[in-house]
Amino acid sequence: MLRHFVSNLRNQYGIYDFQTYALSSILRRTMEPVFHRGEHTLKVPMELFANNRKRLIEGLKKVTNSGTFIVLQGGSESPYDDTDVSWPFKQESFFQWCFGVEEPDCFGALDLTNGSSILFFPRLPADYAIWMGKLHSLDDFKKRYAVDETYYTDEIANILKNKGATTLCTLSGTNSDSGLPVREAVFDGIGQFSVNNTTLYPEICECRVIKSPQEIEVLKYVGKVSSDAHKKVMKKVRPNLMEYQAEAAFMNHAYSVGGCRHMGYICICGSGHNSSVLHYGHAGAPNNKIIVNGDMCLFDMGAIYCGYTADITCSFPANGVFTRDQKFIYEAVLSARDAVLREAKPGVLWTDMHLLANREMLQALKNGGLLIGDVNEMIAAGLNEIFQPHGLGHLLGLDVHDVGGYLPGHPGRPTQPGLRKLRTARQLMAGMVITVEPGCYFIDSQLDSALSDIKQSKFLVAEEINRFRRFGGVRIEDDILITETGVENFTHVPRTVKEIEKWMSGDREAIILPQDERVD
């Protein structure tokens, strides 16, 4: 059979030295520039970023003239205040999307006329090699990141002038989630060029909204790693553990198994009443409560790989067995999630999906005796925002709240209660990756407001509502791809009550504490 195969190669391709051919083929594959964190992790080809650049250039060609270059500035290391210690570096997201560069203080340029790509790296001192390791050459970087040319950052103006650049497209805009401005490129000599800082931002954001096949593979991978990490946490959690031990278990699996050094956001590990705090885990409440029997746990965590992040929330009882009330609230939220997964597809408005989830959950709360009256009237009165004071979900990609939620030519931010917290109001499109994260929370300030509001209080069964005041909350969050016909879910964790109880019942993993630190 081997002789036959070799013979075919000779006849079809003129290959007479099969061993040489096989060896060169292997070498080509191993030498192809890729990002990975070991042989057990996903190999991400630099072609991903080349394709991103191609999409961006094609989108801008129709609105720019010859002599136009895109110029992007990468991220810089950020020190701890006035110390000589820095935070772990994470690349600026637009720069990552275009180039996949891991080093700080870089610039990139794209020639819109011929499509060529240029990277500029800082010129480092000789003693860098003593403290930080090998000084890589420009040719090293060119091969590593598969770009056409590489230079030093002190050469930017001269190189662009020599290439006939007259107009530079730079980033300028405001992130609709954070309210913060993006970083616009500035370098010595930029005053020699005409600067267009209005065209690039909406175009590159729109490109990031629709994921390429290569980007989707990375998001699938980081979704799988994060799902498995959540499952590990569910095996470990039990009463008498600290919330931060769940966080540590998640991060350990994501990094040691998945090669994910960074998290997409601060891990949220709320138990008991803390599960009703939407962004728990911050410096003032650093996942530092003891988990006790009867607590509902809401753990919202997602890892980053090659810049792309997951965002998954699992809710489950601390002891692995749902009480009647826990099951009731959990299944109300699950019914909302399931309704959205059934209906989401291209052409559907995200606002409609949010309201669908709200109706499902409010109806379930009504069926359980917490609410009375007409569900549509509840929504008209803004009661949906009392129990879920956040949007149904958000775009996902290089940022956990990815760009593109509110861009020109798409619906603006709604103003009415129940919709005003949405991070996007767009029509769904194939290629979008978005989270579906309905939740139900019993937040004292929200409940007090509703009970004192004449329009909302008539729907509330006060004695039942008050019984849930220390319950906390439930959120179920999946990362989904919008396909041509519906959705593909990148989240693979136990979701039904039966699945969760079965998963948590067997082969529970122990977290061993030193005897003098054990919580009794």
Side-chain angles (χ1 to χ4, degrees), residues 418-440:
L419 290 173
R420 58 190 174 184
K421 301 296 178 64
L422 280 170
R423 296 187 183 272
T424 186
R426 292 180 62 139
Q427 188 178 80
L428 296 179
M429 301 166 63
M432 283 181 172
V433 176
I434 196 164
T435 67
V436 176
E437 50 179 303
C440 180

Side-chain angles (χ1 to χ4, degrees), residues 322-333:
F322 285 82
T323 66
R324 180 180 176 184
D325 285 346
Q326 288 172 342
K327 180 180 179 182
F328 161 44
I329 299 302
Y330 184 87
E331 289 187 335
V333 177

